[in-house]
Amino acid sequence: MLSKKSQYAFRALTYLAEHFEEGPVAISEIAKKKKIPIKFLESILLQLKKENILESKKGKGGGYFLKLKPNQIKVAAVVRIVNGPISMLPCVSLYFYKRCKDCDRKKCGLKDVMTEVRDATLNILENRTLSDLLV
Amino acid sequence: MLSKKSQYAFRALTYLAEHFEEGPVAISEIAKKKKIPIKFLESILLQLKKENILESKKGKGGGYFLKLKPNQIKVAAVVRIVNGPISMLPCVSLYFYKRCKDCDRKKCGLKDVMTEVRDATLNILENRTLSDLLV
DNA sequence: TATTCCCCTACTTGTTTGGTAGGATAATAG
DNA sequence: CTATTATCCTACCAAACAAGTAGGGGAATA
């Protein structure tokens, strides 16, 4: 399951996508329009900035805006930043790989199944962008 | 990510699948062979019994055994029991559905994407059984 | 009737989730 | 230059969950 934080992140990002090229949008505006606790949203946007999804401008007239065009920001990337691994097992994760001690064995049936799931999931999430969320 | 508990569950179930029709297998044996904390394993197996995956026999010579043949126990069912929802959003879950307030809107792009992911995932997990995990 | 093994309740410890509070810092308008 | 606006940063908090532990009760069997 996506955390509440992740759902907030997607709501905020779709708002920013809708207002792309209208200049910076203040946190307070997003919080109000999308009904997200402002301080919590603040930390989420900050994180997305550090991970190069967002850009910000300080002072009056400042706010946040997308660093790239909406159709260049993949859903998969956002999920990884805000929610963590997409795979169901550490030993099949591409970005959060951790070997498990069972990986010693030549074959692990569970791993094979979860690799399939990962591929099917990524096939979708890597090919959908913020634009696709706008409807 | 699957919890450690889920991974224990799959390891225990594959062990039971390997020893299917050899009669009941004691918790202590599974715990030892698969290196799972015995008390923790106990609670997992009990839960799987309550959910009709396992059957048990008490007293000497007792233990746990699969209620159905390995090829009749779906990976999806085990995940749901031991790990919870498979979907990435409550509002797209088949077994753990909860509407979100955003579902008021006619269209939700995120929901659409996550529905696709759910279908792709279930297409795999509903069609793999314990037999597939044995290799 | 003793042993074996499942069954059940309760507790603990550590981490994650979903926040809140308060101020520092930078940019801009006047 | 200074007030205002808005991001940035640190710290804290409560509740929930994860991953176990402890200890005994109760059924079946030899």
Side-chain angles (χ1 to χ4, degrees), chain A residues 27 42 49 56 64:
Chain A
I27 298 178
E42 219 180 292
K49 186 199 168 185
S56 69
Y64 279 97

Side-chain angles (χ1 to χ4, degrees), chain A residues 73-122:
Chain A
I73 300 175
K74 294 178 181 177
V75 174
V78 176
V79 171
R80 288 199 186 96
I81 289 168
V82 139
N83 205 69
I86 291 170
S87 303
M88 300 189 82
L89 289 177
C91 67
V92 307
S93 176
L94 299 176
Y95 286 73
F96 299 83
Y97 175 81
K98 278 217 144 198
R99 69 182 278 283
C100 59
K101 56 181 172 316
D102 286 12
C103 285
D104 302 342
R105 302 195 292 172
K106 310 161 249 289
K107 272 296 221 177
C108 171
L110 190 60
K111 179 175 179 174
D112 292 347
V113 171
M114 294 312 169
T115 301
E116 279 189 85
V117 172
R118 179 203 68 194
D119 289 341
T121 303
L122 288 186

Side-chain angles (χ1 to χ4, degrees), chain B residues 13-111:
Chain B
L13 287 170
T14 53
Y15 189 83
L16 288 174
E18 282 162 359
H19 297 76
F20 189 60
E21 283 180 345
E22 289 178 22
V25 181
I27 299 177
S28 55
E29 181 185 332
I30 306 173
K32 200 171 189 179
K33 289 288 175 59
K34 290 294 186 173
K35 283 169 191 154
I36 303 170
I38 189 165
K39 281 300 209 174
F40 195 28
L41 177 59
E42 221 179 291
S43 69
I44 296 168
L45 298 184
L46 201 52
Q47 193 184 352
L48 287 168
K49 185 199 168 183
K50 281 176 182 152
E51 299 287 346
N52 291 305
I53 301 290
L54 296 179
E55 199 85 72
S56 68
K57 201 180 164 223
K58 285 185 175 180
K60 189 161 196 177
Y64 279 98
F65 51 97
L66 299 179
K67 196 165 185 176
L68 298 169
K69 282 187 280 180
N71 68 10
Q72 292 175 315
I73 300 174
K74 294 177 182 177
V75 173
V78 176
V79 171
R80 288 199 186 96
I81 290 169
V82 138
N83 205 71
I86 291 171
S87 303
M88 299 188 83
L89 288 177
C91 67
V92 307
S93 176
L94 299 175
Y95 287 73
F96 299 83
Y97 175 81
K98 279 216 144 196
R99 70 182 276 284
C100 57
K101 56 180 172 317
D102 286 11
C103 284
D104 302 343
R105 300 195 292 171
K106 310 159 249 287
K107 273 294 224 176
C108 172
L110 190 60
K111 180 175 177 174

